[in-house]
Amino acid sequence: MVVAQIRRQRRTGPRAKGGAPRWLGQLPYLFVLSGVAAGLTLVAMRHPKRGSVLIAAAVLIGALARMVLPESQVGLLATRKRWTDVLILVTFAVGIAVIAYVVPPPR
């Protein structure tokens, strides 16, 4: 009987609380990763200031998502307590943005 229940669960797919598919909870994390990847691409294309600002914006969006969304919907952005995650992400975003504007671009 237990085996039949496991097979039924596999057929219907994993669901998070609320009935939404579990992979939807990873979307905020994927958006942050996409923004960081786009920023690194800009840095590699010799636009370090734009790329760094894009990376900072992506991390700041991750902090906003961590602050607003419930833990079941933020995926891998939730690693510690909510306020700790938000504080660390905001600190990283501000630090990256400050460094982007302080460091002169290469000539």
Side-chain angles (χ1 to χ4, degrees):
M1 179 122 176
V2 174
V3 174
Q5 289 175 346
I6 292 173
R7 287 185 182 159
R8 271 190 230 127
Q9 288 176 351
R10 286 185 185 163
R11 271 188 248 143
T12 59
R15 300 270 177 189
K17 293 178 184 176
R22 199 171 286 209
W23 62 269
L24 280 177
Q26 300 300 327
L27 282 180
Y29 182 69
L30 291 175
F31 287 147
V32 172
L33 280 181
S34 300
V36 170
L40 289 174
T41 302
L42 281 175
V43 170
M45 294 172 54
R46 297 188 182 244
H47 298 288
K49 196 168 282 199
R50 290 181 189 166
S52 297
V53 169
L54 182 59
I55 292 170
V59 173
L60 197 59
I61 288 171
L64 181 68
R66 178 64 178 111
M67 185 172 59
V68 173
L69 296 174
E71 284 196 34
S72 63
Q73 294 181 350
V74 292
L76 293 174
L77 289 176
T79 56
R80 296 165 200 87
K81 294 180 182 178
R82 182 182 305 246
W83 66 270
T84 307
D85 287 338
V86 171
L87 181 68
I88 289 171
L89 288 171
V90 167
T91 303
F92 283 164
V94 169
I96 292 169
V98 166
I99 289 172
Y101 283 108
V102 169
V103 174
R107 293 180 186 209

